């Protein structure tokens, strides 16, 4: 029997392929769904945090594309996909041949969306809903798509990513030019022109860079 969350996600999304990652299908919101039109106040009234899980953000699309095109960077390795949202990057990591893949997001609705998307794509993804910033479970690769949109969050992520890198993890970041991306700490790996939804972004195409944290 489907849970209330599964029914809600199913009723308010459509299975779609992100334009830059056609190998993967996700439950995504479109202009055709009420979820797209709801204000933040309406979402809070029904106990639903902003549904970041319902959209394929540019940073995640670019990072997922990079993994699928450069499988050697992840093959057989333990992986954390931080702030996973829809699970796009975690699913791409699994399809690219990673070992154990964990998707982390503090939004419990995201966990349900990831579970549904992982099942549809026939991938095995472990999930965590706790706040893992500052922790280290020995992941060999840490993935972060579109996470530098907030100054306070960036202030927490940079020292965490630094510690993980110094320990020996490879930290890969997908970013479409967010304001708080620490460019002085990053090495460029690839650049993509990612189609996005103008209702979410300021253009139809976002230049998205995949970086390695130094």
């Amino acid at each position: 029997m489907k849970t209330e969350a599964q029914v809600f996600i199913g009723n308010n999304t459509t299975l779609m392929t992100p334009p830059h990652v056609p190998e993967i299908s996700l439950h995504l919101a479109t202009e055709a769904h009420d979820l797209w039109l709801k204000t933040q106040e309406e979402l809070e009234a029904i106990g639903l945090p902003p549904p970041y899980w319902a959209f394929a953000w540019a940073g995640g699309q670019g990072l997922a594309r990079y993994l699928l095109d450069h499988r050697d960077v992840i093959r057989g390795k333990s992986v954390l996909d931080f702030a996973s949202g829809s699970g796009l990057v975690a699913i791409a990591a699994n399809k690219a041949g990673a070992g154990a893949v964990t998707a982390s997001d503090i939004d419990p609705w995201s966990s349900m969306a990831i579970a549904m998307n992982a099942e549809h794509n026939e991938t095995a993804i472990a999930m965590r809903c706790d706040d893992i910033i500052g922790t280290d479970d020995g992941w060999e690769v840490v993935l972060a798509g579109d996470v530098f949109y907030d100054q306070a969050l960036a202030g927490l992520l940079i020292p965490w990513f630094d510690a993980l890198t110094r320990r020996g993890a490879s930290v890969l970041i997908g970013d479409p030019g967010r304001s708080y991306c620490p460019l002085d700490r990053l090495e460029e790996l690839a650049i993509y022109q990612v189609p996005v939804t103008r209702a979410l972004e300021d253009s139809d195409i976002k230049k998205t860079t995949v970086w390695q944290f130094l």
Side-chain angles (χ1 to χ4, degrees):
M1 180 179 295
K2 291 184 177 181
T3 66
E4 183 179 357
Q6 286 175 309
V7 172
F8 179 89
I9 292 171
N11 288 342
N12 288 277
T13 62
T14 298
L15 274 170
M16 303 168 60
T17 57
H20 213 59
V21 196
E23 299 95 326
I24 295 171
S25 296
L26 303 171
H27 289 84
L28 300 176
T30 71
E31 290 88 344
H33 291 290
D34 290 341
L35 184 63
W36 184 277
L37 304 174
K38 291 183 185 296
T39 66
Q40 185 169 346
E41 290 76 17
E42 288 175 316
L43 293 173
E44 290 175 350
I46 62 173
L48 178 68
Y52 296 112
W53 49 265
F55 308 102
W57 300 90
Q61 287 197 60
L63 187 51
R65 180 76 270 148
Y66 182 81
L67 298 177
L68 291 168
D69 291 346
H70 302 82
R71 299 176 181 232
D72 55 307
V73 304
I74 206 166
R75 184 177 292 114
K77 297 179 180 179
S78 59
V79 173
L80 171 70
D81 177 27
F82 172 74
S84 189
S86 66
L88 169 59
V89 176
I91 292 167
N94 184 280
K95 286 183 172 291
V101 178
T102 299
S104 167
D105 202 296
I106 59 173
D107 181 359
W109 288 84
S110 177
S111 292
M112 181 55 66
I114 292 168
M116 293 171 67
N117 289 331
E119 181 179 12
H120 179 76
N121 288 277
E122 299 180 340
T123 52
I125 308 292
M127 284 168 288
R128 289 181 60 169
C129 284
D130 56 318
D131 182 359
I132 65 169
I133 295 176
T135 68
D136 186 352
D137 281 5
W139 310 289
E140 295 172 275
V141 180
V142 175
L143 307 170
D146 227 327
V147 295
F148 288 110
Y149 53 86
D150 178 81
Q151 186 174 17
L153 178 60
L156 297 174
L157 294 181
I158 292 169
W160 181 39
F161 289 167
D162 180 70
L164 292 169
T165 300
R166 290 179 183 277
R167 190 263 294 159
S170 177
V171 178
L172 304 181
I173 295 162
D175 185 83
R178 301 303 183 201
S179 298
Y180 304 105
C181 189
L183 299 179
D184 60 327
R185 298 296 309 272
L186 306 176
E187 178 182 359
E188 179 186 302
L189 298 178
I191 296 177
Y192 301 103
Q193 300 297 326
V194 180
V196 292
T197 302
R198 183 175 286 273
L200 288 176
E201 302 284 7
D202 54 2
S203 64
D204 296 317
I205 302 289
K206 292 291 285 187
K207 177 184 175 182
T208 300
T209 305
V210 175
W211 305 94
Q212 178 142 18
F213 194 91
L214 300 177

